[in-house]
């Protein structure tokens, strides 16, 4: 039995590129995630964050390494339904991550149908509750994604993830496509939901400013490797690595009152 809810050990990913050469996108990445905790993963574009996220969520196979959830080793992509249910994904682009031809009701109901034996009436009630949870009006059930704003679409994406009652939600830059005010609202929503439901987040971002307010711990990645990891406060106040210092310097000071 592992000490933590989720443990990733020695994750390694080699992509075979179109011209037949191998490219190592992720190398020897290890981390853990406690229940109700948020681990922020930060690093520049191409550093391997999404590759790590997709391996954890079972969306792409691992080249090597292991992922343990609770006391169970998870296979790369051939996961049984209950393991799939346990780790959900919220995508960077909220609009394209929702099927444009499905009504919001059907999008949020899909995991309910897939993972739980519920009748139509129970599903309808649960969809209402999930929309309440993410702060969307129940009337939105009969709308299509194209009739919602980006921020509202991301709330639907979060409701869909919550519908599966997961232990872990992988949030892959969930606010990058949104403007600053909406970003802050989505972060507050995620924090509130974590307090209410005890769900754990693997939260990915380009910059440390988003990570600061939501993460308990931070892991910094560069060129497929972990350069530094630790408590959020420690990473900000006493960064050990030059690259981490450069990420801190890139933060507009106004966003972090404690640093003025
Ligand atoms: N399917 C693939 N085939 C080949 N190379 C890939 C594939 N997917 C990603 N890569 C490469 O692996 C590296 C890591 O990509 P990844 O998407 O994990 O980075 P990222 O940190 O999420 O970047 P971003 O911040 O831009 O989202 C990049 O160099 C990318 O080009
Ligand atoms: Mg990415």
């Amino acid at each position: 039995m592992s000490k933590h809810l989720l443990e990733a050990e020695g994750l390694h990913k080699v992509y075979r590129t179109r011209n037949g050469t191998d490219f190592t996108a992720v190398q020897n990445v290890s981390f853990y995630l406690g229940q109700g905790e948020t681990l922020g993963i930060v690093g520049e574009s191409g550093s391997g964050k999404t590759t790590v996220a997709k391996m954890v969520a079972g969306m792409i196979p691992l080249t090597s390494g292991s992922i343990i959830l609770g006391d169970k080793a998870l296979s790369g992509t051939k996961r049984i339904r209950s393991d799939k249910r346990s780790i959900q994904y919220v995508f960077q682009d909220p609009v394209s991550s929702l099927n444009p031809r499905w009504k919001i009701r059907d999008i949020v109901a899909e995991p309910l149908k897939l993972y739980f034996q519920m009748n139509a009436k129970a599903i309808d009630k649960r969809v209402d509750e999930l929309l309440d949870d993410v702060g969307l009006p129940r009337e939105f059930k009969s709308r299509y994604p194209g009739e919602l704003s980006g921020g509202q679409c991301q709330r639907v994406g979060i409701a869909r993830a919550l519908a599966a009652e997961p232990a872990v939600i992988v949030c892959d830059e969930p606010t990058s496509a949104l403007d600053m005010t909406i970003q802050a609202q989505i972060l507050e929503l995620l924090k509130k939901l974590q307090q209410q439901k005890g769900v754990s987040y693997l939260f990915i971002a380009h910059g440390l400013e988003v990570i600061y307010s939501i993460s308990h711990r931070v892991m910094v990645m560069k060129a497929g490797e972990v350069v530094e990891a630790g408590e959020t406060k420690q990473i900000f106040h006493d960064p050990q690595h030059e690259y981490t210092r450069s990420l801190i310097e890139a933060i507009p000071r106004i966003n972090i009152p404690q640093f003025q």
Side-chain angles (χ1 to χ4, degrees):
M1 171 106 187
S2 69
K3 251 190 7 261
H4 307 284
L5 174 67
L6 180 81
E7 286 188 8
E9 190 64 47
L11 296 185
H12 212 80
K13 180 68 187 180
V14 179
Y15 287 114
R16 172 62 49 96
T17 57
R18 279 178 201 283
N19 60 18
T21 55
D22 286 347
F23 174 75
T24 303
V26 165
Q27 245 186 112
N28 199 27
V29 169
S30 302
F31 58 85
Y32 66 89
L33 183 64
Q35 205 232 310
E37 189 187 38
T38 300
L39 174 68
I41 303 182
V42 68
E44 64 201 359
S45 187
S47 56
K49 306 180 299 295
T50 294
T51 302
V52 167
K54 287 185 171 170
M55 287 194 282
V56 169
M59 290 157 64
I60 55 170
L62 285 66
T63 304
S64 62
S66 65
I67 294 165
I68 298 164
L69 184 72
D71 51 4
K72 198 169 168 215
L74 299 184
S75 85
T77 48
K78 292 185 188 67
R79 295 185 184 173
I80 61 165
R81 193 178 296 189
S82 63
D83 291 338
K84 282 191 188 149
R85 187 184 67 73
S86 299
I87 306 183
Q88 293 294 309
Y89 208 96
V90 173
F91 296 86
Q92 174 168 353
D93 185 344
V95 182
S96 73
S97 76
L98 308 177
N99 187 332
R101 285 179 295 275
W102 284 19
K103 289 188 172 157
I104 304 308
R105 171 195 291 113
D106 300 318
I107 293 170
V108 177
E110 192 194 23
L112 300 174
K113 291 176 185 157
L114 190 64
Y115 298 122
F116 305 107
Q117 319 264 294
M118 290 169 90
N119 62 33
K121 203 172 157 216
I123 286 178
D124 216 46
K125 184 164 171 283
R126 189 77 190 108
V127 169
D128 281 347
E129 289 168 359
L130 286 159
L131 291 178
D132 293 349
D133 280 346
V134 299
L136 286 176
R138 292 180 177 184
E139 300 82 67
F140 277 25
K141 275 189 297 191
S142 50
R143 290 204 195 181
Y144 292 95
E147 297 167 336
L148 269 58
S149 71
Q152 289 166 342
C153 282
Q154 199 54 299
R155 287 176 192 262
V156 174
I158 294 166
R160 175 177 60 185
L162 286 175
E165 296 179 25
V168 177
I169 301 181
V170 178
C171 303
D172 190 355
E173 306 206 43
T175 64
S176 310
L178 307 171
D179 72 40
M180 288 287 276
T181 334
I182 310 299
Q183 249 187 42
Q185 289 171 8
I186 297 288
L187 289 176
E188 283 312 308
L189 172 67
L190 287 168
K191 279 193 262 186
K192 183 194 85 177
L193 292 169
Q194 183 170 63
Q195 277 157 14
Q196 285 174 353
K197 299 175 193 298
V199 63
S200 306
Y201 298 136
L202 206 60
F203 191 97
I204 291 166
H206 262 92
L208 276 166
E209 67 271 26
V210 182
I211 290 281
Y212 185 79
S213 69
I214 198 163
S215 306
H216 301 98
R217 283 178 303 111
V218 176
M219 178 168 97
V220 181
M221 287 187 68
K222 189 171 194 289
E225 292 182 272
V226 177
V227 296
E228 180 164 3
E231 300 281 323
T232 305
K233 282 211 171 72
Q234 181 233 311
I235 294 282
F236 273 80
H237 290 283
D238 188 22
Q240 299 299 305
H241 197 280
E242 186 52 41
Y243 180 64
T244 312
R245 280 193 281 273
S246 73
L247 288 175
I248 292 171
E249 269 151 30
I251 303 174
R253 283 293 181 258
I254 195 157
N255 287 345
I256 306 178
Q258 296 92 321
F259 278 78
Q260 280 176 351

